[in-house]
Amino acid sequence: SAVISQKPSRDICQRGTSLTIQCQVDSQVTMMFWYRQQPGQSLTLIATANQGSEATYESGFVIDKFPISRPNLTFSTLTVSNMSPEDSSIYLCSVEQGYSGNTIYFGEGSWLTVV
Amino acid sequence: SQQGEEDPQALSIQEGENATMNCSYKTSINNLQWYRQNSGRGLVHLILIRSNEREKHSGRLRVTLDTSKKSSSLLITASRAADTASYFCATVARQGAQKLVFGQGTRLTINP
């Protein structure tokens, strides 16, 4: 299975600031995804990070608020911009490994608290 | 949008008993995947079951899939305290983007 490393694992952020979360995978993957999990809730897909092109955002999420980079097949970043307390969530990076039968693996997540 | 519904939302059983969690979904799927999440941590992949499969096993885990009813179940046999976690089902649609849509999850507590 893919080994996915996320940084930071946890952070406390000031309202109005921005934070960039990094996701590093130990092998090349085609599909990378970013999810948000608000406290006590399930996971919601923010966007699919495409290598070499703009990310594809889900309804309710916009690039200005959650800019994403995908410079190569093993790395992606998600920025949470102009944060408010409502952005306090766990943000999770996930990848699909085609040779494992389309299993989608997750990183440990980045737990952000906005104060 | 969330398409999965899981029940029960919370389940508390004694160690050694079996735990069954159910998941329903709305659209045609390519596959369905079950995950475990310990409090505040990432998701651990448990089992992937494809739309043409009806049952899969992995250790103490048994997953069934009924595409006619658009439902799946996860059975954990001989539960242990370490099984305490939230369990999520997630589906990949048959058509369109290869992305997971999650259910609301079941919070499982195993009492020693």
Side-chain angles (χ1 to χ4, degrees):
Chain A
S1 63
V3 176
I4 304 167
S5 302
Q6 275 189 242
K7 292 180 182 179
S9 58
R10 188 180 289 259
D11 208 341
I12 298 173
C13 308
Q14 295 296 318
R15 187 192 303 245
T17 63
S18 299
L19 183 80
T20 296
I21 303 166
Q22 298 179 2
C23 177
Q24 178 75 54
V25 191
D26 67 342
S27 58
Q28 292 187 344
V29 294
T30 304
M31 308 289 287
M32 294 183 77
F33 308 90
W34 287 98
Y35 284 82
R36 180 177 74 182
Q37 185 179 27
Q38 294 177 303
Q41 302 296 313
S42 185
L43 282 77
T44 301
L45 181 63
I46 298 172
T48 302
N50 306 307
Q51 195 266 333
S53 64
E54 280 195 357
T56 304
Y57 288 84
E58 297 298 304
S59 176
F61 297 95
V62 295
I63 188 171
D64 289 347
K65 177 67 176 177
F66 297 102
I68 287 171
S69 77
R70 178 85 195 272
N72 56 52
L73 293 175
T74 63
F75 187 78
S76 178
T77 67
L78 169 75
T79 299
V80 186
S81 303
N82 187 25
M83 286 186 282
S84 67
E86 292 72 32
D87 294 319
S88 297
S89 297
I90 302 174
Y91 292 87
L92 297 113
C93 170
S94 70
V95 305
E96 184 212 355
Q97 280 198 316
Y99 68 77
S100 66
N102 307 117
T103 299
I104 297 178
Y105 297 97
F106 283 79
E108 283 293 313
S110 298
W111 196 333
L112 303 187
T113 301
V114 184
V115 298
Chain B
S1 61
Q2 300 292 328
Q3 73 157 354
E5 297 287 336
E6 292 184 62
D7 79 274
Q9 291 187 341
L11 178 63
S12 180
I13 61 174
Q14 294 301 119
E15 196 167 19
E17 295 180 339
N18 297 341
T20 299
M21 289 159 274
N22 302 296
C23 166
S24 62
Y25 55 91
K26 296 177 182 175
T27 63
S28 295
I29 62 170
N30 176 288
N31 64 70
L32 184 147
Q33 305 186 39
W34 282 92
Y35 292 86
R36 183 184 74 230
Q37 184 181 38
N38 291 89
S39 181
R41 304 296 303 277
L43 272 69
V44 174
H45 186 266
L46 297 177
I47 288 184
L48 179 154
I49 187 165
R50 301 193 181 281
S51 60
N52 62 351
E53 297 175 312
R54 292 295 166 259
E55 187 171 312
K56 287 189 83 169
H57 298 254
S58 177
R60 294 184 295 113
L61 306 180
R62 172 180 168 246
V63 167
T64 63
L65 179 65
D66 187 335
T67 53
S68 67
K69 295 181 179 178
K70 292 187 167 58
S71 67
S72 174
S73 68
L74 170 67
L75 168 68
I76 303 174
T77 60
S79 63
R80 304 168 183 171
D83 295 327
T84 294
S86 292
Y87 291 81
F88 294 92
C89 72
T91 56
V92 175
R94 180 176 298 281
Q95 296 183 348
Q98 178 81 3
K99 60 185 181 182
L100 286 171
V101 177
F102 278 82
Q104 292 304 308
T106 294
R107 175 66 190 170
L108 176 65
T109 301
I110 309 298
N111 301 304

